[in-house]
Amino acid sequence: MKHRDTASGLFWLVIGIGLSVWTLTSYEIGRLTQPGTGYLPLSLGILLILLSLILLVAQMKKSPGARQAVPPADRSGGWKKVVYTVGVLIVAAFFFERVGYLPTFFCLIVLLMKGVEQQSWKRILLTALLTSVGVYLVFILLLEVQLPRGFLGV
Amino acid sequence: MDIFGHLALGLGVVFTVNNLLFCFLGALIGTLIGVLPGIGPVATISLLLPITFGMDSVTSIILLAGVFYGAQYGGSTTSILVNIPGEASSIVTCLDGYQMARKGRPGAALGMSAFGSFIGGTASIVGLMLLAPILARAALKFGPPEYFSLMFFGLTLVIYLCVGSITKGLIMAVAGLAVSTVGQDLVTGSTRFTLGSITLMDGVGIVPAAMGVFGLGEVLTNIEEGIKREVFATKVKGLFPNLKDWKDSAWPIVRGTLIGFFVGILPGGGTVIPTFMSYTVEKRLSRHPEKFGTGVIEGVAGPETANNAATGGSMVTLLSLGIPANVSIAVLLGAFIIHGIQPGPLLMTQHPHLFWGTIASMYVGNVMLVILNLPLIGLWVRILKIPYNILFPLILLFCFIGVYSINNNLYEILIMVGFGVFGYLIRKFGYEGAPFLLALVLGPMLETAFRQSMLYGDPFILFKRPISMVLLILGLFLIVSPIFSGIAQRRRRLIEEENG
């Protein structure tokens, strides 16, 4: 799994098989002249299997030196920042409707700025504050976008 | 009515205080988001969509179209001054534009891209005005087989022009089509792959998918690599290119206009592909191709003209056929439908005010954009000085609000995050997002057209109708040709080995 085309080829092979099996067991396929609900998904599943096999075979034919490795994931721990950012976004989505947009956005900005790059608290809090006020002025007052107001009620 | 009568009708629609104001707002917002990397027209148009609900349909489209073509003006500023593309369509501009800035000529690069944009943009509207009615009349004879083959051809074109391998492009397109089958089957009404989720009943939204793959995906890649950037020029002087610049740029601008307009018409042509094509053509035709990449003005003028000319081209496909040529246009199509208007061959006769008003507003908008981009350049430069570690949380916040505001549905934010991770991973493994998203956009139309074609009762109907047959064969050729060129290369190598 060191090589990126091997890894992604296997991934698409699994997806292709999964799609085909799911379609075959759940939906009516029909015929070419009378395609049913499952006709397109099944065709796509089979195509995906074929394409991933082409990718895998082409990879095997290459000399080991010509294969491109998966870009190193541990370059200065950058991937941890990616996982962290995705995590923060999911947590923010979870709290969004419960506590309202203002506290969520304030915390979102603080967490993202603090976690991804070391910066002074003054700068972070100032950005978070200005952003919250900006969101209120532009999106709520000017554009009248409907956002959950939460316990603050604004 | 002749063409001037139509144009007069359109200008009559535009020249009201309200419509002029919204045309200006669209151009202004378009330039702003064009300058900001990571925020594109897709996110912005979908964010503005809900606020147009209460507005007149013509005014709404004038505003949203302004954002679309305005973004092509702003993108070049970031490419030239910071060496980061403000939009995907100004990636190529980085090559020579940034080098020109380093050599102390940022003004000439910015000025030429603004003038080129204006010429390309305006000329493509003339093309739009002349071609759209003809195409609409021809399209009245189009049946499902022709629509199917046209979209199929557009999809193969995007795959063919992918940077990576054709196989990977095909995988992306097939995956996009597979995601587009989620939700209600438009023909039988039964649901597919929804896992009982109500959100997925309507299918996977284009906006959360596009903002995930392009917006969030790009931010995640940048965060991992730790982006460093600096604004090159603080004070930009001499925005008017000199006589030699004009002489060097004249033909690239003409060719850029033609490439942009005609590629833009093709479904899948978009605004990105013409810029790459224009750059390649200029390099090949140039008497000094070795200088490309060191700051030659042709490398800025051609592509920057092409991406603006493509905006007029892709409006042709939308207004006369009702087919979205790219993701931004797909969101714009959504705006038409929300206002109860179906773009297509009948649009011109059923809604002449909207049709000609939109076209006329594009003329006016392009004039506004040149004015906005030249004297106000200092303002955009200041916006570029916002450091990325402040900018990226704002981009994510913008995506967050944009996705939520469409349906007030929390699950769509999670869908966006999912596609963000997907977009980050495909970049890592050498895949491209463009075929995936175009397939997702065209998927439901493609499937419906295919199944309606099969209702003719003839499995070979797609090959029996002339227009459909030509498009299908062209599309298949695009996919298969790299295999043949691979064989040809291998044969050449064998012959060389035998001879040597």
Side-chain angles (χ1 to χ4, degrees):
Chain A
M1 297 293 256
K2 273 191 318 212
H3 304 294
R4 63 176 198 181
D5 288 3
T6 317
S8 65
L10 285 173
F11 171 79
W12 291 115
L13 184 63
V14 171
I15 297 283
I17 293 171
L19 183 63
S20 310
V21 171
W22 191 354
T23 311
L24 278 171
T25 51
S26 315
Y27 305 110
E28 188 214 325
I29 307 299
R31 284 176 285 123
L32 178 62
T33 45
Q34 271 175 320
T37 308
Y39 194 85
L40 178 67
L42 182 65
S43 324
L44 294 173
I46 295 168
L47 262 177
L48 214 45
I49 295 172
L50 289 177
L51 288 168
S52 56
L53 289 177
I54 293 176
L55 194 66
L56 288 171
V57 169
Q59 179 73 1
M60 268 184 259
K61 276 189 181 166
K62 276 187 199 165
S63 62
R67 293 177 196 161
Q68 267 180 300
V70 176
D74 53 2
R75 195 192 301 152
S76 67
W79 65 275
K80 284 183 197 156
K81 291 179 185 172
V82 173
V83 174
Y84 173 82
T85 308
V86 170
V88 168
L89 282 173
I90 293 173
V91 172
F94 182 76
F95 281 105
F96 190 46
E97 287 187 334
R98 290 180 174 80
V99 300
Y101 72 95
L102 274 181
T104 311
F105 289 167
F106 189 86
C107 296
L108 184 71
I109 300 282
V110 170
L111 287 171
L112 285 178
M113 286 182 74
K114 192 72 201 163
V116 174
E117 207 137 329
Q118 276 307 316
Q119 309 175 51
S120 71
W121 275 109
K122 198 178 134 196
R123 189 180 183 182
I124 293 175
L125 290 177
L126 195 68
T127 310
L129 196 69
L130 284 178
T131 310
S132 306
V133 174
V135 167
Y136 176 74
L137 290 177
V138 176
F139 293 108
I140 305 295
L141 288 188
L142 191 69
L143 298 180
E144 295 179 8
V145 174
Q146 298 293 321
L147 295 175
R149 307 200 156 191
F151 59 87
L152 289 176
V154 282
Chain B
M1 240 194 309
D2 62 319
I3 206 92
F4 293 103
H6 288 306
L7 191 60
L9 169 80
L11 287 171
V13 173
V14 178
F15 276 93
T16 61
V17 176
N18 206 23
N19 285 348
L20 278 177
L21 178 73
F22 277 99
C23 184
F24 176 74
L25 269 179
L28 183 71
I29 297 172
T31 309
L32 175 69
I33 57 122
V35 169
L36 290 172
I39 300 177
V42 176
T44 314
I45 294 174
S46 38
L47 197 61
L48 292 173
L49 204 53
I51 67 150
T52 66
F53 289 171
M55 282 162 36
D56 176 51
S57 57
V58 183
T59 314
S60 317
I61 301 301
I62 288 176
L63 170 73
L64 299 176
V67 175
F68 170 59
Y69 56 76
Q72 310 305 329
Y73 275 81
S76 55
T77 310
T78 320
S79 297
I80 292 167
L81 295 178
V82 203
N83 201 19
I84 291 174
E87 295 303 325
S89 52
S90 34
I91 291 173
V92 187
T93 312
C94 290
L95 298 175
D96 278 287
Y98 183 65
Q99 293 303 327
M100 281 183 74
R102 287 192 60 164
K103 286 182 176 169
R105 304 200 64 215
L110 289 167
M112 189 48 86
S113 66
F115 287 120
S117 296
F118 177 72
I119 297 167
T122 315
S124 80
I125 308 166
V126 177
L128 163 66
M129 206 166 69
L130 298 175
L131 196 61
I134 300 171
L135 206 58
R137 233 165 282 143
L140 283 173
K141 297 193 190 92
F142 274 26
E146 282 80 15
Y147 271 96
F148 173 84
S149 304
L150 185 60
M151 287 186 275
F152 174 80
F153 173 67
L155 209 51
T156 54
L157 185 73
V158 174
I159 296 165
Y160 178 73
L161 293 168
C162 264
V163 179
S165 73
I166 294 272
T167 318
K168 285 183 167 182
L170 277 169
I171 289 180
M172 280 287 104
V174 172
L177 286 174
V179 173
S180 82
T181 63
V182 173
Q184 213 153 35
D185 172 2
L186 294 171
V187 179
T188 62
S190 52
T191 59
R192 287 185 293 208
F193 311 121
T194 57
L195 297 164
S197 151
I198 295 168
T199 306
L200 290 179
M201 283 273 284
D202 290 332
V204 174
I206 293 163
V207 175
M211 279 160 105
V213 173
F214 291 135
L216 180 55
E218 198 183 304
V219 168
L220 291 177
T221 309
N222 288 343
I223 287 175
E224 178 175 8
E225 288 169 359
I227 197 159
K228 291 272 175 288
R229 50 174 213 163
E230 72 185 295
V231 179
F232 197 77
T234 39
K235 256 208 154 33
V236 180
K237 280 185 209 148
L239 283 170
F240 287 92
N242 59 33
L243 203 66
K244 185 177 178 302
D245 291 337
W246 276 109
K247 247 173 90 182
D248 288 341
S249 304
W251 282 108
I253 287 178
V254 172
R255 287 188 287 260
T257 304
L258 293 173
I259 293 173
F261 181 68
F262 286 105
V263 177
I265 291 176
L266 298 170
T271 52
V272 185
I273 292 167
T275 58
F276 283 95
M277 288 176 70
S278 162
Y279 192 81
T280 317
V281 167
E282 293 316 324
K283 198 172 171 178
R284 200 159 289 169
L285 292 179
S286 170
R287 257 171 285 154
H288 45 80
E290 72 287 348
K291 281 193 185 157
F292 272 71
T294 63
V296 288
I297 199 148
E298 298 98 301
V300 176
E304 273 308 312
T305 309
N307 63 22
N308 282 73
T311 57
S314 51
M315 289 300 274
V316 173
T317 336
L318 176 71
L319 295 178
S320 62
L321 300 177
I323 296 177
N326 54 56
V327 181
S328 311
I329 290 283
V331 185
L332 200 59
L333 175 69
F336 276 88
I337 290 169
I338 283 170
H339 284 278
I341 296 156
Q342 178 66 50
L346 296 173
L347 182 73
M348 195 179 59
T349 40
Q350 285 178 344
H351 301 278
H353 280 82
L354 179 79
F355 187 88
W356 296 106
T358 306
I359 290 178
S361 83
M362 290 173 73
Y363 281 112
V364 179
N366 269 284
V367 176
M368 288 174 171
L369 278 162
V370 160
I371 298 169
L372 271 175
N373 274 271
L374 288 178
L376 287 183
I377 194 77
L379 178 72
W380 310 122
V381 173
R382 286 180 66 171
I383 285 173
L384 280 178
K385 287 193 177 154
I386 304 172
Y388 195 73
N389 48 28
I390 289 183
L391 194 61
F392 92 84
L394 299 183
I395 295 172
L396 294 184
L397 194 70
F398 193 78
C399 294
F400 201 96
I401 300 174
V403 168
Y404 183 80
S405 66
I406 305 164
N407 293 321
N408 287 7
N409 187 341
L410 208 54
Y411 292 103
E412 298 211 301
I413 294 178
L414 295 178
I415 291 175
M416 177 193 75
V417 174
F419 276 107
V421 175
F422 177 71
Y424 160 76
L425 288 175
I426 59 171
R427 276 181 183 76
K428 240 184 160 28
F429 286 89
Y431 292 80
E432 267 187 61
F436 178 82
L437 272 160
L438 189 73
L440 180 62
V441 166
L442 294 180
M445 293 169 82
L446 208 59
E447 186 185 10
T448 310
F450 177 75
R451 286 163 80 169
Q452 282 171 348
S453 305
M454 287 305 123
L455 290 179
Y456 287 80
D458 181 352
F460 298 108
I461 183 82
L462 295 172
F463 287 97
K464 282 188 178 162
R465 303 192 27 153
I467 298 174
S468 165
M469 182 188 70
V470 170
L471 288 168
L472 268 188
I473 291 174
L474 278 176
L476 289 172
F477 175 75
L478 283 182
I479 298 180
V480 180
S481 62
I483 301 174
F484 287 123
S485 72
I487 292 171
Q489 263 177 15
R490 221 167 294 155
R491 267 178 54 190
R492 218 173 299 141
R493 212 174 301 149
L494 279 177
I495 293 167
E496 274 168 25
E497 275 169 20
E498 272 174 31
N499 292 346

